[in-house]
Every structure is written in structure tokens, then in C-alpha cells.
Amino acid sequence: MVVMQMLKKQILAMVLAGGQGTRLKVLTMNNAKPAVPFGGKYRIIDFTLSNCSNSGIDTIGVLTQYQPHILNAHIGIGTPWDLDRNSGGVTILPPHIRNDGGNWYMGTADAIFQNINFIDRYEPEYILVLSGDHIYKMDYSQMLKFHKKKNSDVTIAVIDIPMEEANRFGIMNSDESNKIFEFEEKPQNPKSNKASMGIYIFNWKILKKFLIEDSRDENSCHDFGKNIIPKLLISGYDLYAFPYKGYWKDVGTIESLWEANMDLLNPENELNIHDRDWKIYSVTPTLPPQYIGSKAKVFNSLIVEGCSILGTVNNSILFPGVQVGENSIIEDSVIMSNTKIGNDVVIKKSIIGSDTIVRSNSIIGNSKDITVIGDYEEVKINCTIK
Amino acid sequence: MLKEYMGIISLNEDDSHIKSLTSSRPLAAIPIFGRYRIIDFVLSNMVNAGITNIGIYTQDKSRSLLHHLQSGKPWDLNRKINGLFLFNFNFSDIKTNDIYLLKDNIDYLYRSKQNSIIFSSSNMICNIDYKKAIEYHEKEGSDVTIIYKKVHNSECSFTNCSILNLSSDNKVISIGKNIGVNPICNISMDMFIMKKELLLDIIKECISTGNYKSIKHCLYSNNLNLNIKGYPFNGYLECVNSSNSYYKINMDMLNQKISRELFFGTGLIYTKGQDAPPTKYAEGSAVSNSLIANGCIIEGSVKNSIISRRVVVGKGAKLDGCIILQNCEIRENAKLARVIMDKNVVIEKNKELKGDIQFPVVIEKNSYCYSLAKHA
């Protein structure tokens, strides 16, 4: 007798992690945006994966496409997020070929469409669609509760943004019961400031039907915001806006990545990474604790294991294994893993990639614009980069 | 070559001089250097030498050790073939005995496919290449190889450790005890390399004669007339067997040369991760010459200290020469000098405590220290 393994899951999360993030320039040259290092010991996708794990979601598909090697190695079998499970766990889903050929993921909706078979194996009632490149903490189980209570077909998480920025977002216009009656993508004259966070809960049966229809529509961009949501709304389904309060950031540009890092240094920041009840998990390197030297000065900074600081670090974030030489000054900067900084170096308002060497007496940054140096670079002795 | 070897870690160390840190845990589970526990060193050394079958024999109070080791994943010992074997259901009248622990779990030795053994305790802290010691053992063809280090500071370190008296060809003539008579001596690292057959014979001998309390005792008495040789180790070595030595070895890690050797020497030292966030240094903090683990929030001043994960140092607090273990909180304006503080201790505002390098103040786990002002 064949015993079928119980696979059924109530909810499945699909994390969109295929984006290139072109505006992050050298930082995403060989790396997908969700795997860009952030906050001293994390990669951006750690926030989404940790949110899932902390929300009790144990079955996750991660949709990859652009430069996935670092991302794949980082996620592995999901152990850091407790997602190495007998049933479910984390599965990396790259584009693949099928009987009828196959193609790259052509949009966010197409990425889910191409993995209908993966989702159907778990017979879920709900699908949680997430972005792998947002920084925030959120309890998805509360959102699911809301979804069920409202008897909703689709629930979209929304956040209040300043009205003057509303023309950069997808805006959800909803009534007092949070029911959405209108969706406007980047409106000229926004009617509300409730922006979609790109976090959706769908009833799987309904979404599946719409994904199949959408795949046959040659004029579609196969995008959730542009195609699927408007079609569901027109077709008369019940869409609700789930109001989220707290820190949320899409780190799409060098400026926003730098800002998000600096936000962590603000004592009043809402994204409290020291909260033990909502830990953010990541891959832990095998390194001893950080050493702060006799003449070192460290202020308002975040520093992690394996660092050795002999100079001055002010208002900066250092990743594992960074070395700062004597009399060097690091200010308002982000220095990624294993980068070695020599003596008498001055670095201001810069993002320096990992495994880079900055030789002695160099000067980097102009404290006005953000200076970016990529991975595996070498800044020669006495060099000035502004 | 190392497919032939298995590791046995017998946690029968004498903890009578470090009681304040072992009241709730075995010596091997004492936290050290801000993020490790003592057992991480011997385990990592064995794993780095390619050993994949390791048995750990522990006695009572092993909860924190088991919690630390779990499935052995950080050491890559969560294996289908071989892996980590824990024998934690043992109890003997005297802590330093291990013969009956081995005998009661003898099946493990019989079932293991390896025919040679590295036998060690946990409290000799070093980063050693066991492969070289095994090469030496096989080349010399002796029955037992004892790893030792020739030290020059035995009057202030390695108190009560065993001393090897060696002939010119490194044959062990006799074994004594370090009571600080001669500063230069060969300290036994209590690490033995031998055939599994021989270990089984020793266990049988010990039980049938009743003359010996432990494998170590039997080997060091050497009434079996075994051919025992010493293998010299030249790297950094210290033994944790008292509060003093614990304090000294922690402070040694503020020397970058020593810490580089210990953490990056032959191989890396693995430990259980805790997903602690980066450490936050506040605007008014002043930290110098200190080793600090992740997850701390430092607003005060820290000098010449070792700070473990998730410690909070409040504004105006001053720490000098302290070893602070996990989750401690030192509130505003408290002043601590040369204090060893076990886990979860809260020091109230304005409290002052002062120890000495020879006699550091040791505060036990979960203590709560009121400020004196409160009582006045």
C-alpha cells in the first residue's frame, strides 16, 4: 500500500526575489537585490523570511531569476530561518523548461503562474505573495486573521505615506470597513495616502483562475499591480486593505539603501532589530567577537562579530570581519563583510562592498553624495575617491 | 587516515576551584570569550582534523551542555553516518571518575567502525592540529601518545595539571603533578591517542582490579607497562581549572596575536549561533581594548573587558577588566572593576564592585544586585 505523505497546507508564501535592482548599480552587478547585504549582518530577504518564520508560515517558495548564486547559497535549505522542514520548508523556484518549451518569468504574476504545480501540491486555501526586497517586520498571521474575518477574496497590506509622495505608489482607495473600491497606480491626483506594500493574500482558487486567464492575454504585463488586482476589482471580487503601521522601506536605490542603514542608528527607529520577540535570522559566520582597540573610538554605530577596530567609527554600520586600521576615520558609512581598511584612511558617507581592500592614507567620499565602491576592489595607497 | 579515528571527550574534569561558575553546569559548558563555551575548542579541533564520530561522556547537571550541543549542527556533526553521541545519563559518586561511564555505554565503542581513538577532556584551551599528532603517533608506533606542552609559567598557570617526565627520545618515564616547583615543565594536555582495543583493555583492567578511577589515572600509573610517548604541542595553551585561570585566559584574548592564533590558527572554532543583532554603540559610549559579542547595547564606558551577547551597559556605567556573560544588565553609573559576572545578572544603578586580578569578584548566575543607596 502506498501511504501518501500529508502535504496539505492552509497557507503558502511565495516570495518574489528575481529582481535585478538596477538602481543599486555595482551592488547588484553580480547579486540579486534581495541578497544585498543590509544592517551589519543581514541580507535584505532575511526580513521577509524571518517574518514568515515568526508568523508560523513554514512553506515558502522563493522565485529567483537574476544573478541567483549568492541568494541560493544564502538560503540553502533554510536552516537559519528554521525552514528546513520535513513537510514544506523553503524551495527555490527558478524559471524552468516544460513540455511546451518554457521561458523566463515575464512578470510577477507570470512567476507565480509558472509554478502553479508547485503550489497545487500543497492544496493551499490561501497564497501570501511577498517581495523579497523590502525591509519591515510584520506578523502575517494577523493579516490572515483579518482576511478570514472580512471574508475577503484578496487582502492587500497598505501603509500610510506622506500625501506628496503618493504619486510614486500604487494607491488603494477604500471605505471605512477597509473595503477597496478603487486602485490607482501612481496617480497624478491621489485620493488617499494608502499605498500598497506589495503584500497580498489571495484565495488560491480565485488567483489560480485569474493567473491562467492572464497568461493567455497577450497584452498583459503579467504584473500583480498592473493586471491582476485591477481585473479582480472590475470582476466584482471583495478586496480589502489591511492597514499596517510601522517601519517599511523598499530599498530600490543607493540613497534609500544608505538611508535604511542609517535609520537603524536612530535611537527612535521603529524597526527595532534588538527585539527578542521578533528576531531577524540570518546565516551566522564563524568568527570571534569584535575587538575594539585601545585607541579606538566608536560612537553611534552597529558593529558585529569578527571586526577589529583600531581607529574611529562614527555613525556607521560594519559587517562581519571588517578591519579598521589605526588613525582611520569612518563616518556615516556602510562597510560590508571582510573589507580591510588600512591606517590613516578617511571614509565619509560611503557604501563599501565586501572583500575590498582600502590601503593606507586613502580618502573616500565627499560627505555630500554617497560614494559607492563594489566588492573585491582595491583602493590603492594615497588614493582619493570622491 | 582520519577515517580510522574517533573522538572521545570525557568531561570528568575537576571543577572544585571554579565552583561559582559550575553550580548549574559542567565545566565544559562554561561560557568563555564572549560567545563560546569551553567544549567548543576540543570539539572544533577534532572536527577540523576530519573526525566525524565523537562521543561525549558527561555527568549530572548537563542541561546547559545539551542545550548548547543539540544535534551537533554547528560542528557539522548532525550526521547520518557517525556524528555526535552524548552520554548524559551518567552519575558517579566522584566527578573525576569515568571508568563506569565508559563501561555502561560500552556498546558505543564496540559499534563504532573506527579502530583508533583520540581521548580528551575539554578544559585545555588551544587550537591544535590533531592530524600532526596522529602522524607522530603512527610513525613512532607507541601504544599511547600523550600530547603535552613545554611551558615556562607553571608556577602561575596549570596548577594541579599533570607533568610528564620524558626521556631524550620523548618516552614518558613518569608522570607527576604541577605544584609550581619548577616553572619550566611538560604539562600533559590530557589528550591521548591510542588503539580502540587498548582502551577496551584499559577499561577491563580498571574494572577487574578496581585499582583505578579513571582512564587518565590508569594511564598515568602505567602499571600495564605500556610504551607511552609524548607529542609536543607548541601553540597557545591554557587550562581552565579555577576562577583565576578563567579570568586570565579570557584576558589573554585582548592580545590580538593570541586571539588570532586561537580563533584562526589550524582551523576555525565553531559554536552555536544565537541570531543576536549587531552591537549598538551609543553616542556617549567609550570602549577600548575590549572583546564584545553581538546583541549588546553599550552606552557607558568599557575598558579591558570581555562582554558576551546581549549585555546592556547603561549610561555612565564604568567597566574595567570585567568578564560579563550573556544577558547581564549593568545599569546607569554602576562601577565594576575586575568582576566575573555569570549570566542574567542585573546590577542596579550606582552599585560599585571591585575585585583584584588575583581575586576577581565572581557573581553567580541570575543574581540581582541592589544598589546600596536603596538599603540606606
Side-chain angles (χ1 to χ4, degrees):
Chain A
M1 196 180 91
V2 180
V3 180
M4 289 292 288
Q5 200 185 348
M6 273 296 290
L7 281 178
K8 184 165 170 56
K9 298 279 176 186
Q10 187 191 32
I11 187 165
L12 201 71
M14 296 293 272
V15 181
L16 300 161
Q20 182 177 354
T22 36
R23 289 171 299 163
L24 287 169
K25 296 172 192 165
V26 291
L27 298 177
T28 50
M29 202 155 70
N30 300 309
N31 193 2
K33 187 175 156 193
V36 167
F38 172 78
K41 63 176 288 183
Y42 310 102
R43 293 189 187 269
I44 295 171
I45 199 170
D46 290 342
F47 286 82
T48 307
L49 293 178
S50 301
N51 284 342
C52 284
S53 190
N54 289 332
S55 303
I57 293 172
D58 63 7
T59 310
I60 299 168
V62 179
L63 300 141
T64 61
Q65 178 152 282
Y66 173 80
Q67 286 283 15
H69 300 116
I70 295 174
L71 184 61
N72 288 354
H74 181 68
I75 295 174
I77 58 167
T79 311
W81 306 272
D82 208 12
L83 291 170
D84 49 339
R85 301 294 183 95
N86 282 343
S87 159
V90 64
T91 309
I92 290 174
L93 302 167
H96 49 276
I97 54 166
R98 291 175 297 276
N99 252 345
D100 58 352
N103 47 265
W104 296 105
Y105 295 148
M106 291 178 296
T108 50
D110 183 52
I112 308 285
F113 169 76
Q114 289 200 38
N115 290 289
I116 282 180
N117 287 345
F118 167 78
I119 297 169
D120 274 342
R121 266 165 56 86
Y122 295 101
E123 303 169 56
E125 282 156 65
Y126 311 103
I127 288 286
L128 172 65
V129 176
L130 302 165
S131 294
D133 48 12
H134 293 169
I135 290 164
Y136 65 108
K137 295 199 285 195
M138 182 171 172
D139 188 346
Y140 304 130
S141 69
Q142 294 300 322
M143 185 169 166
L144 181 62
K145 220 182 251 175
F146 175 93
H147 180 84
K148 287 182 190 165
K149 200 177 116 202
K150 295 281 181 188
N151 217 359
S152 170
D153 296 314
V154 184
T155 300
I156 302 167
V158 295
I159 184 165
D160 290 345
I161 46 150
M163 206 64 189
E164 59 273 18
E165 285 179 33
N167 57 7
R168 288 172 37 220
F169 292 88
I171 297 297
M172 299 290 162
N173 297 320
S174 54
D175 63 20
E176 314 82 72
S177 70
N178 296 103
K179 191 165 177 195
I180 299 167
F181 58 83
E182 189 181 24
F183 168 69
E184 295 179 296
E185 181 74 20
K186 296 179 183 163
Q188 288 284 306
N189 302 304
K191 297 187 190 91
S192 92
N193 65 339
K194 296 204 179 312
S196 164
M197 297 166 69
I199 300 168
Y200 311 98
I201 292 179
F202 295 96
N203 288 353
W204 173 233
K205 278 191 190 129
I206 297 167
L207 177 64
K208 187 176 165 184
K209 183 170 151 251
F210 273 75
L211 287 176
I212 293 169
E213 277 173 23
D214 178 73
S215 73
R216 295 187 186 124
D217 180 355
E218 284 178 9
N219 299 320
S220 171
C221 307
H222 310 295
D223 185 85
F224 277 103
K226 286 192 193 112
N227 309 104
I228 304 290
I229 300 298
K231 267 185 217 160
L232 280 158
L233 203 54
I234 293 166
S235 309
Y237 284 96
D238 290 339
L239 279 70
Y240 281 86
F242 174 70
Y244 168 82
K245 284 196 174 48
Y247 187 91
W248 178 75
K249 198 142 193 157
D250 178 356
V251 283
T253 61
I254 293 287
E255 286 71 29
S256 63
L257 179 68
W258 183 82
E259 273 167 25
N261 274 292
M262 293 300 134
D263 285 345
L264 293 177
L265 298 175
N266 181 351
E268 273 127 49
N269 87 84
E270 287 177 289
L271 187 80
N272 175 15
I273 51 170
H274 279 83
D275 179 6
R276 297 184 74 163
D277 293 331
W278 202 270
K279 278 189 188 177
I280 306 301
Y281 306 101
S282 191
V283 177
T284 309
T286 300
L287 288 169
Q290 53 209 275
Y291 175 72
I292 312 292
S294 298
K295 291 177 191 154
K297 292 190 176 76
V298 184
F299 310 111
N300 198 35
S301 294
L302 289 175
I303 299 181
V304 293
E305 63 258 56
C307 288
S308 159
I309 316 294
L310 305 179
T312 299
V313 178
N314 187 10
N315 213 40
S316 296
I317 293 186
L318 271 51
F319 282 72
V322 169
Q323 294 179 12
V324 179
E326 284 174 26
N327 298 319
S328 288
I329 297 170
I330 316 288
E331 247 176 43
D332 307 322
S333 297
V334 178
I335 319 279
M336 294 178 187
S337 305
N338 300 321
T339 286
K340 313 250 177 299
I341 295 159
N343 299 335
D344 305 291
V345 171
V346 177
I347 299 178
K348 287 191 173 167
K349 204 172 179 182
S350 300
I351 298 177
I352 316 259
S354 55
D355 298 278
T356 284
I357 296 172
V358 180
R359 303 264 180 220
S360 295
N361 290 307
S362 358
I363 298 171
I364 299 173
N366 56 18
S367 38
K368 227 177 88 205
D369 304 311
I370 299 158
T371 306
V372 184
I373 292 176
D375 300 341
Y376 299 99
E377 300 282 346
E378 184 182 344
V379 178
K380 295 258 160 51
I381 208 161
N382 297 324
C383 200
T384 302
I385 300 174
K386 284 191 175 176
Chain B
M1 178 184 86
L2 286 159
K3 244 185 95 190
E4 295 298 308
Y5 281 81
M6 62 187 286
I8 288 188
I9 301 174
S10 176
L11 302 180
N12 62 337
E13 294 107 333
D14 177 12
D15 67 351
S16 50
H17 296 284
I18 190 165
K19 276 273 180 229
S20 41
L21 293 174
T22 56
S23 62
S24 63
R25 56 169 85 92
L27 193 146
I30 297 178
I32 191 164
F33 309 140
R35 68 173 277 162
Y36 302 90
R37 288 186 190 256
I38 283 175
I39 198 164
D40 292 341
F41 290 85
V42 63
L43 259 186
S44 301
N45 286 333
M46 283 184 175
V47 168
N48 286 335
I51 292 169
T52 57
N53 182 13
I54 298 177
I56 298 178
Y57 295 77
T58 165
Q59 307 207 7
D60 57 336
K61 288 191 296 200
S62 56
R63 179 199 59 81
S64 75
L65 184 75
L66 297 189
H67 184 68
H68 180 67
L69 297 170
Q70 284 178 338
S71 65
K73 172 114 187 132
W75 302 271
D76 210 11
L77 287 171
N78 54 336
R79 299 297 188 89
K80 184 170 180 174
I81 303 164
N82 298 320
L84 188 68
F85 293 83
L86 280 161
F87 306 103
N88 68 308
F89 29 77
N90 306 306
F91 186 79
S92 55
D93 300 344
I94 300 160
K95 263 199 177 168
T96 48
N97 296 0
D98 62 3
I99 292 299
Y100 279 90
L101 310 187
L102 287 154
K103 185 217 142 213
D104 289 349
N105 301 295
I106 201 88
D107 287 4
Y108 167 63
L109 291 176
Y110 282 124
R111 271 189 209 162
S112 293
K113 293 204 173 82
Q114 294 79 3
N115 55 30
S116 294
I117 282 172
I118 296 189
F119 188 102
S120 179
S121 37
S122 72
N123 62 348
M124 290 284 178
I125 307 290
C126 59
N127 190 330
I128 184 175
D129 186 353
Y130 280 132
K131 274 185 259 178
K132 283 191 185 146
I134 287 168
E135 241 166 62
Y136 176 89
H137 171 75
E138 292 184 349
K139 200 182 92 217
E140 296 293 317
S142 49
D143 296 323
V144 181
T145 297
I146 300 179
I147 303 174
Y148 74 93
K149 186 185 175 187
K150 187 172 184 177
V151 304
H152 298 82
N153 61 342
S154 79
E155 78 278 29
C156 55
S157 284
F158 304 103
T159 311
N160 290 328
C161 290
S162 301
I163 297 178
L164 305 186
N165 296 310
L166 300 168
S167 69
S168 54
D169 61 345
N170 267 9
K171 212 171 151 153
V172 177
I173 303 163
S174 69
I175 296 169
K177 205 171 201 187
N178 175 30
I179 50 170
V181 172
N182 187 353
I184 301 171
C185 63
N186 302 317
I187 294 292
S188 163
M189 291 163 67
D190 296 339
M191 296 169 183
F192 317 120
I193 305 171
M194 64 183 116
K195 286 259 179 275
K196 185 165 79 180
E197 287 306 309
L198 178 59
L199 182 71
L200 292 168
D201 285 346
I202 291 172
I203 295 170
K204 282 175 204 157
E205 167 76 13
C206 292
I207 289 169
S208 57
T209 64
N211 285 342
Y212 315 102
K213 301 185 283 281
S214 65
I215 298 293
K216 199 165 107 176
H217 182 203
C218 180
L219 276 176
Y220 288 170
S221 315
N222 198 17
N223 291 334
L224 296 169
N225 289 319
L226 298 169
N227 173 16
I228 303 178
K229 285 219 159 177
Y231 167 78
F233 169 69
N234 298 318
Y236 173 83
L237 175 75
E238 277 294 338
C239 174
V240 180
N241 57 6
S242 65
S243 305
N244 280 355
S245 61
Y246 176 78
Y247 185 79
K248 180 186 179 293
I249 187 172
N250 271 286
M251 290 303 153
D252 277 352
M253 289 312 115
L254 296 178
N255 177 331
Q256 288 287 277
K257 211 178 135 238
I258 295 177
S259 79
R260 200 139 280 277
E261 184 196 324
L262 194 60
F263 296 123
F264 300 97
T266 307
L268 298 175
I269 305 300
Y270 313 100
T271 191
K272 190 173 132 189
Q274 288 193 345
D275 296 287
T279 281
K280 173 79 195 280
Y281 296 82
E283 200 59 70
S285 71
V287 180
S288 68
N289 193 35
S290 295
L291 202 62
I292 300 191
N294 282 353
C296 299
I297 298 175
I298 300 187
E299 301 186 350
S301 127
V302 178
K303 214 164 84 181
N304 310 325
S305 297
I306 315 284
I307 312 286
S308 305
R309 288 176 279 206
R310 294 190 186 273
V311 167
V312 178
V313 180
K315 271 189 197 137
K318 281 196 168 63
L319 272 63
D320 186 1
C322 293
I323 298 164
I324 312 292
L325 303 191
Q326 267 183 64
N327 292 327
C328 286
E329 191 183 341
I330 294 119
R331 297 197 172 145
E332 285 148 56
N333 300 318
K335 286 185 183 52
L336 308 177
R338 288 163 291 278
V339 172
I340 299 173
M341 198 183 286
D342 206 337
K343 287 167 74 173
N344 310 329
V345 174
V346 177
I347 299 287
E348 258 305 341
K349 290 177 189 172
N350 305 318
K351 182 90 187 168
E352 292 190 22
L353 285 169
K354 199 171 168 193
D356 179 85
I357 292 178
Q358 252 182 327
F359 302 103
V361 175
V362 185
I363 302 175
E364 287 194 21
K365 201 173 158 182
N366 302 331
S367 311
Y368 179 87
C369 297
Y370 295 101
S371 69
L372 286 176
K374 223 170 186 175
H375 289 284

